[in-house]
Amino acid sequence: MHIKFSPSLFAALAASTFLLGCQSTGQPASKPPFGSLAQITSISPDTSQVFHPGQQVRLKVDVSYVLTSASGTIKLLVLAADSSELGQDVKVIAKGNGKSTLETQFTVPVTTEIRVFAPLIVQGESAGSAADGRSYKVVPR
């Protein structure tokens, strides 16, 4: 299931890009280079699985990307329905096409949904990123 853009996704991505923007070289903010994108190609466990509060989850995500600038990062970001962060992983990537595997572990909180995002963030850019996402339903035991 693909996730539509939401205000909480915007807040998570804004925080991620802000942190990376702090490392910028003082260049003015601009949009990511045309053609850069990230796509989740595999996620384990499968998103048809229902999670339960207290459950331990080891998440593995394969992401294919195209980066048209010199360098960037792919970030795995796992959020509860209230946008609290449950886990993350980051991989540095270089210009071109490639695949990256990101992993994290977390304990499912009392929530209704777990959201997983894989934003591609262009190094040195303080605005914009390309992201793909998935979600898991959480139900009480």
Side-chain angles (χ1 to χ4, degrees):
M1 165 182 2
H2 287 278
I3 296 176
K4 294 182 180 179
F5 187 80
S6 67
S8 57
L9 169 60
F10 177 76
L13 292 176
S16 295
T17 55
F18 172 77
L19 292 174
L20 286 173
C22 291
Q23 302 170 5
S24 75
T25 59
Q27 300 291 329
S30 61
K31 294 183 180 180
F34 179 76
S36 292
L37 62 92
Q39 181 176 15
I40 295 173
T41 56
S42 169
I43 188 167
S44 176
D46 186 83
T47 55
S48 63
Q49 182 171 337
V50 175
F51 292 157
H52 304 282
Q55 180 179 353
Q56 296 290 317
V57 177
R58 176 179 284 273
L59 188 68
K60 181 179 175 182
V61 178
D62 292 326
V63 179
S64 291
Y65 63 86
V66 175
L67 181 62
T68 58
S69 95
S71 66
T73 57
I74 296 281
K75 183 172 185 175
L76 172 63
L77 186 59
V78 182
L79 304 173
D82 66 357
S83 296
S84 58
E85 185 177 316
L86 303 176
Q88 67 172 312
D89 191 12
V90 178
K91 301 284 184 186
V92 175
I93 58 173
K95 184 175 185 173
N97 299 350
K99 293 183 182 183
S100 191
T101 299
L102 299 111
E103 298 180 78
T104 192
Q105 288 183 231
F106 61 92
T107 301
V108 177
V110 175
T111 187
T112 57
E113 179 181 44
I114 301 293
R115 292 175 281 168
V116 178
F117 301 102
L120 181 152
I121 303 162
V122 178
Q123 188 67 31
E125 300 293 333
S126 60
S129 68
D132 194 7
R134 303 287 186 273
S135 67
Y136 295 91
K137 185 175 182 178
V138 177
V139 296
R141 291 189 188 259

